[in-house]
Amino acid sequence: MSAQLRPHLMSFDVFGTLLDVRAGSYAAFQSILDDCGAAHIDVKLFWEDWEHRNIAQYWQPYRGYRAICRDSLAQSFAHFGLAGDPALIERYFAAFGAFPLFADVPHNLENFAKSCRLAIVSNIDDDLLAATKLPKLFDLVCTAERARGYKPDGTLFRYLLDHAGVPRDALLHSGQSQFTDLVGGKPLGLAIAWVNRRGVALAPDVPKPDWIVADLDGVAALLG
């Protein structure tokens, strides 16, 4: 990637970068906790515990995202001492169509698409991705289902590189997860803008991003 940042392909993480998955799924998880008699548990704390368990399973031999989410829910139930049915995870999947785009996303994606190709790189099943409100602006779609693997061990990013049709140094990836986007992409030499919407600290054992931005307006500023 040159200092002028003129990528031929821009790839994006989806959930947490383009779509507000946390805010969009809290109601579903609250209903799960309510059904378990656990309305007293902080839904955000429970959600983060569940998500970290998802990420841990991404390192294991490939299984579909739905199966991983179900198993992670069972583990979170056990961690919090709850007797819940893991099948309740279906309420989360049913919420995908309502996940909102962050306000800075639509106009920036439209502008990016005027000068380069766009790609998605997501730890997701194809049908769940199709259920979202993502605009139809992407030339390349890279999912865990298609790659038969996830981001952290590099499988999904290798799929991106194999299908990008551009040299590695002509690709800019933007993503919010330090434990998947940075851990999986930086060892492969990808240029990455960390979209740190929540203002969290970078873990000491995570590869440093090339740039840190607060949102897609920040990515646009990098391109001038």
Side-chain angles (χ1 to χ4, degrees):
M1 179 73 61
S2 71
Q4 292 184 333
L5 281 186
R6 295 292 182 265
H8 296 166
L9 177 68
M10 296 179 68
S11 62
F12 297 89
D13 167 54
V14 175
F15 301 96
T17 300
L18 305 181
L19 292 167
D20 191 347
V21 61
R22 283 175 168 80
S25 60
Y26 285 153
F29 274 80
Q30 186 63 63
S31 73
I32 291 171
L33 289 174
D34 291 347
D35 276 13
C36 297
H40 60 286
I41 292 178
D42 185 335
V43 66
K44 295 181 180 180
L45 182 66
F46 185 87
W47 194 99
E48 295 295 340
D49 179 85
W50 167 81
E51 174 63 0
H52 281 294
R53 296 178 189 280
N54 287 341
I55 294 172
Q57 292 191 72
Y58 293 160
W59 290 90
Q60 299 172 8
Y62 175 76
R63 292 184 305 137
Y65 180 75
R66 288 174 179 271
I68 285 176
C69 289
R70 180 188 174 107
D71 286 354
S72 292
L73 183 59
Q75 293 168 14
S76 289
F77 281 153
H79 176 74
F80 285 90
L82 304 177
D85 182 357
L88 290 171
I89 196 62
E90 291 296 329
R91 295 182 185 176
Y92 164 64
F93 302 140
F96 270 56
F99 289 166
L101 290 164
F102 288 105
D104 54 277
V105 170
H107 67 276
N108 277 307
L109 287 182
E110 290 176 5
N111 287 334
F112 297 153
K114 294 175 182 177
S115 60
C116 69
R117 295 167 56 233
L118 304 184
I120 284 170
V121 185
S122 183
N123 293 317
I124 200 66
D125 294 343
D126 286 357
D127 65 323
L128 291 173
L129 182 66
T132 69
K133 295 179 178 178
L134 280 179
K136 308 300 183 182
L137 293 171
F138 298 94
D139 305 281
L140 174 63
V141 175
C142 306
T143 63
E145 181 175 348
R146 299 183 190 194
R148 310 303 291 177
Y150 294 87
K151 290 180 185 177
D153 68 357
T155 299
L156 187 45
F157 284 112
R158 285 190 289 271
Y159 182 92
L160 167 67
L161 290 168
D162 288 344
H163 293 80
V166 302
R168 191 184 315 252
D169 62 2
L171 195 160
L172 171 63
H173 179 71
S174 299
Q176 64 84 26
S177 175
Q178 57 179 303
F179 300 110
T180 62
D181 291 293
L182 296 182
V183 167
K186 283 311 302 174
L188 297 177
L190 285 170
I192 298 181
W194 181 29
V195 184
N196 189 11
R197 292 185 180 276
R198 297 182 294 131
V200 299
L202 184 70
D205 57 342
V206 169
K208 293 182 179 180
D210 298 273
W211 304 275
I212 302 175
V213 297
D215 50 31
L216 261 59
D217 290 339
V219 176
L222 294 175
L223 303 179

